[in-house]
Amino acid sequence: MSEKGHYDVEAKGQKDRAETPITSRVTAVKAVDLFEDGTVDPVYQAKARVLNAALQEIGMGKYQWWLFAVAGFGWFADSVWPLLGGLILSPVVNEFRFNGPFLSLALNIGLFVGAVFWGLGCDVWGRRWSFNVTLFLAGVFGLAAGGSPDFLTLASLLAVLGLGVGGNLPVDSAVFLDFVPGTHQYLLTILSIWWSVGQLVASFVAWPLIANFSCPQGSTDPCTRSENMGWRYLLFTLGGMTLLLWAIRLFVFPLYESPRFLVGRGRDAEAVDVVRRIAEFNGRTTSLEVRDLEEAANAVKERQGEAGRKKTVLSKSSVFTLNHIKSLFETPKLAWSTSLLIFLWGIIGLGATLYNSFLPYLLSSRGAKFGDSSYYITYRNQVILGVIGVPGAFLAGWAVEQPYVGRRGTLALSAGEYPIGLTGVFLFASTTARSSNALLGWNCGYAFHSNIMYGVLYAISPEVFPAKDRGTGNGLTATATRVFGIIGAMMQAPVIALYANLETAVPVYVSGGLIIGAGLVALLLPYEPRGKASI
């Protein structure tokens, strides 16, 4: 449909809303909901449908495009800081002389705590503060880590940094999805472009700094701080950059509290006020009124009788309860969906941590074997991998909207055709490289397809969680990937550090097998969000 046609439909929708009773409007949007009746709290579902209609009435405007940018900062941070552990590993090991994988372990512990705290917490105290504080923590402690005098201080500061970074994706994906109309939910997949940009920026900044301000690679001579400032400069740069992004979020963009969160807490008037502010920001109007939400709720209560009247949507206190988790297992189908997503995130988190943390070492050690090892070539290759990953986000955004493919099809393995299968295939293929350029080529294939894989995974998870429990659901899946990330870091320690075999390909084999297995699991997901509005 053309842009003009799209807005003509919306204009007609505005007229219809003014003339149609609320029950008819609820029925009109019911068919495109993701969930069947009874899957989530019926009062919340009725109100969420009204909100969906109001957001669709406003359409995709300036506020949502601004949000696409500032929410993308979270994807950027989630890419930059976990990757940092691998980027600085070699020069830090040269200076502090420790078992390298334990740095990744410390960072992953922080990411785990952050995922639990911020993901589950944003369903209790709201999205707004979580959205702003996470980037601030990452920037401040990233700067502080650059001044670390020893390994223990560096590991501790990176763990606290992880506390902030770990909350970015669970919170930011919930925030973005809460504000966009259902017709534009696919943009959540394209948000992974920021993840690709983060990879590119981190590698591009690391390339000259570590190549020109580090002790010679593989040297056994003592490496002093003054000779090895490259990794510190990298931390200072990325920490300052993260603080700048935080400042843009806090002082430039007026983030409102999520209307879906407010409705879930029974604060209907505040939710309507937020929708009106969004419409005003976009230069449009909305016909949404508090009575629309009240009438939708009353219609449900009349059908349910007194039992429905006594049922609350969410606790109105600021205390987390297990109800948020129980709601994600309300029906067998929803429980199956939640369990599969947690499992998917866990095994992909294990495979990705094994590989991404090991990649700079792999490029370096195989480069030494091929006779062209240097910091310059290692980080040049990282930049190339970052560039290759960028188009994957756009391809993922296109693929998830295709009939008969959708989110599940794009994510799944089907005769080696879809990206999650090819991600694992390229990992296995990288072990066959007999030259530095061949290794780089295989890793380019991995980078491209893994960015498609992550783009879809980051989108489908929040889409299939109800908004009132979306932060909790995102927190559970992010917790799974962080827990298995810790396991991955611990697996690297005995395989790489304790046995001092930095040329082993075992992490690559394990990672490839896990990711291919994840593709088979993706076929079992019961919900397909394509063409349906999340609530």
Side-chain angles (χ1 to χ4, degrees), residues 314-528:
L314 284 179
S315 169
K316 294 186 180 181
S317 68
S318 295
V319 178
F320 179 82
T321 69
L322 291 179
N323 289 335
H324 293 279
I325 296 177
K326 290 179 181 177
S327 295
L328 299 174
F329 298 86
E330 189 75 21
T331 65
K333 185 176 181 180
L334 186 58
W336 177 241
S337 174
T338 301
S339 300
L340 282 182
L341 284 172
I342 291 172
F343 182 74
L344 267 174
W345 276 89
I347 57 178
I348 290 178
L350 174 57
T353 298
L354 278 172
Y355 188 73
N356 289 334
S357 296
F358 182 66
L359 180 59
Y361 253 142
L362 179 68
L363 293 172
S364 176
S365 63
R366 291 295 174 91
K369 184 176 180 180
F370 299 142
D372 58 357
S373 174
S374 70
Y375 279 135
Y376 180 88
I377 292 178
T378 297
Y379 291 95
R380 179 208 65 184
N381 291 354
Q382 285 284 152
V383 170
I384 293 172
L385 295 178
V387 172
I388 291 296
V390 171
F394 295 103
L395 180 58
W398 171 83
V400 297
E401 289 296 293
Q402 299 310 302
Y404 310 110
V405 180
R407 275 68 161 168
R408 288 181 301 187
T410 307
L411 189 61
L413 169 68
S414 177
E417 184 177 355
Y418 292 110
I420 196 165
L422 292 176
T423 299
V425 167
F426 277 107
L427 283 180
F428 280 123
S430 67
T431 64
T432 68
R434 294 296 178 264
S435 69
S436 183
N437 288 336
L439 179 61
L440 176 61
W442 290 123
N443 279 304
C444 284
Y446 164 78
F448 179 79
H449 292 98
S450 67
N451 276 300
I452 299 176
M453 176 185 73
Y454 278 115
V456 180
L457 192 61
Y458 288 154
I460 194 173
S461 301
E463 281 185 301
V464 300
F465 295 133
K468 69 186 183 67
D469 305 305
R470 186 168 289 146
T472 300
N474 288 346
L476 290 177
T477 55
T479 296
T481 201
R482 302 312 183 188
V483 167
F484 280 87
I486 293 172
I487 294 173
M490 293 175 69
M491 286 178 65
Q492 285 187 76
V495 171
I496 302 174
L498 301 183
Y499 294 99
N501 181 13
L502 299 181
E503 297 183 18
T504 180
V506 170
V508 179
Y509 291 129
V510 174
S511 180
L514 288 169
I515 291 176
I516 289 177
L520 299 175
V521 173
L523 291 170
L524 304 176
L525 290 170
Y527 290 111
E528 172 52 64

Side-chain angles (χ1 to χ4, degrees), residues 257-333:
E257 186 53 84
S258 162
R260 290 174 178 170
F261 168 80
L262 292 171
V263 162
R265 298 293 292 274
R267 294 153 63 179
D268 293 355
E270 294 176 60
V272 171
D273 182 61
V274 168
V275 173
R276 288 175 177 170
R277 290 187 185 186
I278 295 171
E280 183 180 353
F281 196 98
N282 287 354
R284 307 200 69 188
T285 59
T286 177
S287 57
L288 181 67
E289 298 178 1
V290 175
R291 70 175 179 86
D292 295 339
L293 298 173
E294 292 174 347
E295 290 175 10
N298 290 336
V300 172
K301 291 176 182 178
E302 288 174 5
R303 290 196 300 268
Q304 290 185 324
E306 287 301 317
R309 294 177 187 274
K310 294 177 181 178
K311 188 172 183 179
T312 58
V313 179
L314 284 179
S315 169
K316 294 186 180 181
S317 68
S318 295
V319 178
F320 179 82
T321 69
L322 291 179
N323 289 335
H324 293 279
I325 296 177
K326 290 179 181 177
S327 295
L328 299 174
F329 298 86
E330 189 75 21
T331 65
K333 185 176 181 180

